[in-house]
Amino acid sequence: MEEKAFQEFYPEELSYCYGCGRLNDQGHQIKSYWDGDETVATYSPKPFHTAFPGYVYGGLIASLIDCHSTGTAAAAVYRAESRAMDSDPPLRFVTASLHVEYLNPTPLGVPLEIRGSVKEIKERKVVVESKLFAEGKLCARGEVVAVLIPEHFLPSKP
Amino acid sequence: MEEKAFQEFYPEELSYCYGCGRLNDQGHQIKSYWDGDETVATYSPKPFHTAFPGYVYGGLIASLIDCHSTGTAAAAVYRAESRAMDSDPPLRFVTASLHVEYLNPTPLGVPLEIRGSVKEIKERKVVVESKLFAEGKLCARGEVVAVLIPEHFLPSKP
């Protein structure tokens, strides 16, 4: 795995995402890395992230899959273009659609591993499959269609 | 609209969901009501629920759609069976799959309205479509396949 997470390369104004922004003190601050051709993130839910006592809330699972997948999309395009992740212009993807299948109840109290793989890659659209595991068991499978962030969306262009 | 939210009928042991449990002090505590044949919930995101500054985090949108839809599923089955929501045995649904399309950026700082409608209803499986609006504008559309919670899942049956 590489040393620095994808999200640590995001420019400051794009680093306030509740799911993965390193500057959002209230958020999950997930960090995603390459691991060969896959990407991986690990997150330990808080005790209050419950669905039913003992199990992880499905909305959190959707969030982790979402942010890890958009991060994967960006990293994959940088890699496909042989560009460093801190080169200009910054590439940042947003979610066009998110699909999550909940396959098994996800136990609370253990780290969750989210592994992403790129299913389809174009310059402005990337499809990522992310699987979420607890203690090695596949608990959820997600697919995210990520699109390059439209310029009018960017905070620097009001 | 009826006076009491669906989630206020859930038995105590099923009321700790981070999205909609009335007993989860850290959670969103969303409340869903009938409005004719549709269901409605309103939620005001917190200032830190950002994607990019000024816009709502997609994972929160997925969460709101998820919890409102499973609540709608339960309420719809009670209604179809002409049963009061506090009658036994309690019906509680979990998400088998969640699909969200993000149609427009969702502005932060205004209440969001989530409106659900039942697309398909069986005793143990309900498909719900939920749309999320900000200031009357459709921002996201979701579909949830909700299934009756398996008994072994219930906290009272370890």
Side-chain angles (χ1 to χ4, degrees):
Chain A
M1 287 198 284
E2 292 172 18
E3 269 182 19
K4 209 166 155 182
F6 304 160
Q7 293 85 1
E8 293 174 286
F9 291 103
Y10 293 173
E12 181 177 334
E13 67 273 19
L14 300 180
S15 293
Y16 291 94
C17 174
Y18 184 73
C20 61
R22 68 181 189 279
L23 302 176
N24 190 328
D25 292 338
Q26 311 275 343
H28 305 319
Q29 299 194 335
I30 71 159
K31 296 197 179 350
S32 306
Y33 303 87
W34 283 114
D35 182 21
D37 285 339
E38 290 192 341
T39 58
V40 62
T42 306
Y43 182 79
S44 293
K46 305 285 184 294
F48 51 79
H49 284 139
T50 45
F52 307 106
Y55 297 102
V56 176
Y57 171 55
L60 176 69
I61 291 168
S63 299
L64 297 174
I65 286 173
D66 185 10
C67 276
H68 179 64
S69 299
T70 52
T72 296
V77 174
Y78 279 109
R79 186 182 259 199
E81 295 182 353
S82 302
R83 282 178 52 189
M85 284 198 72
D86 52 1
S87 63
D88 280 323
L91 297 172
R92 190 71 179 81
F93 282 74
V94 289
T95 306
S97 77
L98 165 69
H99 183 80
V100 181
E101 292 170 79
Y102 297 91
L103 304 169
N104 283 298
T106 303
L108 192 64
V110 299
L112 305 179
E113 186 178 81
I114 308 104
R115 299 193 74 87
S117 57
V118 175
K119 293 286 157 199
E120 184 186 325
I121 181 166
K122 295 178 185 167
E123 196 181 333
R124 305 183 70 84
K125 177 186 162 190
V126 183
V127 181
V128 176
E129 180 184 70
S130 285
K131 295 178 177 173
L132 183 140
F133 300 85
E135 299 178 305
K137 186 175 185 179
L138 179 64
C139 294
R141 182 171 47 221
E143 187 175 283
V144 168
V145 177
V147 292
L148 195 65
I149 189 170
E151 283 199 15
H152 68 265
F153 216 148
L154 292 169
S156 55
K157 310 225 173 172
Chain B
M1 287 198 287
E2 293 172 16
E3 268 183 20
K4 208 166 155 183
F6 305 159
Q7 292 85 1
E8 293 174 285
F9 290 104
Y10 293 174
E12 182 178 332
E13 67 273 21
L14 299 180
S15 293
Y16 290 95
C17 174
Y18 184 73
C20 62
R22 68 182 189 279
L23 302 177
N24 190 326
D25 293 336
Q26 311 275 341
H28 305 319
Q29 298 194 335
I30 71 158
K31 297 198 179 347
S32 306
Y33 303 86
W34 283 113
D35 182 20
D37 284 339
E38 289 192 342
T39 58
V40 64
T42 305
Y43 182 79
S44 293
K46 305 285 185 293
F48 50 79
H49 285 138
T50 44
F52 306 107
Y55 297 103
V56 177
Y57 171 57
L60 177 68
I61 290 169
S63 298
L64 298 174
I65 286 173
D66 185 10
C67 276
H68 180 65
S69 299
T70 51
T72 295
V77 174
Y78 280 110
R79 187 183 258 197
E81 296 182 351
S82 302
R83 281 177 53 188
M85 284 198 71
D86 53 359
S87 63
D88 280 323
L91 297 172
R92 190 71 179 82
F93 282 74
V94 289
T95 306
S97 77
L98 165 69
H99 183 80
V100 181
E101 291 169 79
Y102 297 91
L103 304 170
N104 283 299
T106 303
L108 192 65
V110 298
L112 305 179
E113 185 177 82
I114 308 105
R115 299 194 73 88
S117 56
V118 175
K119 293 287 157 197
E120 183 187 325
I121 182 166
K122 295 178 184 168
E123 195 180 334
R124 305 182 71 83
K125 177 187 162 187
V126 182
V127 181
V128 176
E129 180 184 70
S130 286
K131 294 178 177 173
L132 183 140
F133 300 87
E135 300 179 306
K137 186 175 184 179
L138 179 63
C139 294
R141 182 170 48 223
E143 186 174 284
V144 168
V145 177
V147 293
L148 194 65
I149 189 171
E151 283 199 15
H152 68 267
F153 215 150
L154 293 169
S156 54
K157 313 223 170 170

